[in-house]
Amino acid sequence: MDIHVLHQQEHSIRSISRQLSIARTTVRCYLRNIARTPNYGPRSARPSKLDPLNLTFENELRLLSLIGSPLRFYYAKFRRWDTMAKKGS
């Protein structure tokens, strides 16, 4: 809820601060100066720090399967499981 809406509904500064979990001085500050009230919007999605590692891991698994590594069996099993999970089976 907005601080100003709660104040118009005749809530006290203390009850507004309790409901919004902010300090009473902050509530007073925002009630005195409407222009200073924060307007929060949706945040943009940030890329994960692990995205480059994920691509590297997949490439390494492909290389291992091409050179005949013992991990080829596990990679093939993982791919089958991954395709089944995507299909919802």
Side-chain angles (χ1 to χ4, degrees), residues 71-84:
L71 292 176
R72 182 176 61 204
F73 170 74
Y74 295 109
Y75 177 69
K77 188 175 181 181
F78 170 75
R79 294 306 292 172
R80 265 186 265 130
W81 175 81
D82 191 35
T83 55
M84 288 185 345

Side-chain angles (χ1 to χ4, degrees), residues 36-82:
R36 196 167 175 189
T37 305
N39 294 327
Y40 298 112
R43 296 181 182 211
S44 60
R46 293 182 353 188
S48 172
K49 291 181 180 179
L50 300 177
D51 284 343
L53 295 177
N54 188 19
L55 294 175
T56 305
F57 179 71
E58 287 179 3
N59 289 337
E60 287 181 17
L61 282 178
R62 281 193 199 103
L63 286 175
L64 288 173
S65 68
L66 291 176
I67 61 173
S69 170
L71 292 176
R72 182 176 61 204
F73 170 74
Y74 295 109
Y75 177 69
K77 188 175 181 181
F78 170 75
R79 294 306 292 172
R80 265 186 265 130
W81 175 81
D82 191 35

Side-chain angles (χ1 to χ4, degrees), residues 7-49:
H7 188 65
Q8 286 174 353
Q9 293 174 354
E10 298 183 4
H11 286 273
S12 67
I13 291 175
R14 184 171 289 188
S15 70
I16 294 171
S17 69
R18 265 192 240 126
Q19 286 180 14
L20 300 178
S21 300
I22 56 176
R24 288 180 296 171
T25 54
T26 307
V27 173
R28 280 192 203 102
C29 178
Y30 290 156
L31 288 175
R32 286 185 192 135
N33 190 356
I34 294 174
R36 196 167 175 189
T37 305
N39 294 327
Y40 298 112
R43 296 181 182 211
S44 60
R46 293 182 353 188
S48 172
K49 291 181 180 179

